[in-house]
Amino acid sequence: MADFIKLYEENPNPRDIQNIVKVLRAGGLIIYPTDTVYGLGCDITNIKALERIAKIKGIKLEKSNFSFVCEDLSNLSDYVKQIDTSTFKILKRALPGPYTFILPGAKTLPNPFKKRKTVGIRVPDNAIALEIVKELGNPIVSTSIRDEDEIIEYTTDPELILEKWDKLVDIVIDGGYGGNEASTVVDLSGDVPEVIREGKGDLEIF
């Protein structure tokens, strides 16, 4: 049974954040709000947790396209090769925000991702997500929670999310109704920015 924790974005309770991080460090999985749709996440350093997410998604961990949710751009070099000034300016302009940026992966990537040429980086504009990552001290590996429903692609109601995921995860965070539009995905690993998926987020900034 998953714990159901109510948090307010304006002022996330520090004690609740600490408890969530404790669960993440122990290999737990959480469902949490972002500035787009609700995400399923775990500690990037915990192999067992990563394998749990891959199993839930029905994919091999090495072939996954999970995003790395970061607090800011300060530790980017741990996961991404050195980027040029124009790329960094795009990141600075867009983040935090509803974008996933595909960037060339560094050689220092955690073991399961060592062979990846690129990684998806997210810095969501959501205080709950950012406080969790800040307290954790490293990124959360994350993927959107999709619905099989043909009409509604993403569940926005935390109570319905709990109903569906209760036995699969350790914590469901109720951060209010989520969005139903995923992030805009932009590939910055080539010479020019390429929009891979148009979602929430203004394309004018590119």
Side-chain angles (χ1 to χ4, degrees):
M1 298 281 284
D3 286 337
F4 193 51
I5 299 174
K6 174 76 180 169
L7 286 177
Y8 297 94
E9 196 188 342
E10 298 74 35
N11 190 19
N13 185 321
R15 188 172 290 173
D16 284 333
I17 295 287
Q18 286 164 7
N19 287 337
I20 290 161
V21 166
K22 202 180 287 182
V23 169
L24 284 169
R25 287 197 181 121
L29 305 188
I30 66 168
I31 289 179
Y32 68 102
T34 72
D35 51 355
T36 56
V37 299
Y38 268 82
L40 166 65
C42 74
D43 183 348
I44 196 172
T45 65
N46 194 299
I47 300 293
K48 282 185 178 172
L50 290 166
E51 285 170 347
R52 275 180 73 190
I53 287 192
K55 191 177 177 185
I56 286 170
K57 299 293 279 188
I59 51 177
K60 287 190 173 175
L61 183 54
E62 297 74 25
K63 296 190 174 170
S64 63
N65 283 324
F66 301 145
S67 301
F68 296 176
V69 174
C70 306
E71 181 203 350
D72 52 33
L73 299 174
S74 60
N75 296 324
L76 209 56
S77 59
D78 292 346
Y79 309 99
V80 170
K81 276 184 189 169
Q82 193 166 3
I83 52 177
D84 58 31
T85 309
S86 61
T87 302
F88 190 73
K89 279 182 178 172
I90 290 173
L91 297 176
K92 283 288 280 183
R93 206 158 54 228
L95 298 173
Y99 303 94
T100 300
F101 288 108
I102 296 170
L103 295 161
K107 286 182 178 160
T108 49
L109 279 169
N111 268 339
F113 308 111
K114 280 270 189 248
K115 292 178 181 172
R116 282 170 64 158
K117 289 190 169 66
T118 58
V119 293
I121 298 291
R122 275 275 273 135
V123 183
D125 188 11
N126 179 287
I128 295 169
L130 295 182
E131 282 299 317
I132 292 168
V133 177
K134 182 180 177 183
E135 180 72 24
L136 183 61
N138 52 253
I140 289 173
V141 165
S142 186
T143 181
S144 301
I145 57 166
R146 284 177 168 275
D147 270 325
E148 287 75 44
D149 193 299
E150 287 176 19
I151 301 165
I152 304 164
E153 200 174 355
Y154 301 99
T155 303
T156 58
D157 184 338
E159 290 191 4
L160 292 178
I161 291 171
L162 176 68
E163 226 171 81
K164 183 179 174 184
W165 290 84
D166 193 23
K167 293 181 174 66
L168 293 170
V169 300
D170 302 280
I171 293 175
V172 174
I173 298 166
D174 175 0
Y177 277 86
N180 59 3
E181 192 179 10
S183 63
T184 289
V185 180
V186 182
D187 190 343
L188 296 179
S189 65
D191 295 332
V192 291
E194 184 187 351
V195 177
I196 305 295
R197 178 182 73 195
E198 197 173 332
K200 192 177 176 186
D202 187 4
L203 296 180
E204 301 269 315
I205 64 168
F206 309 115

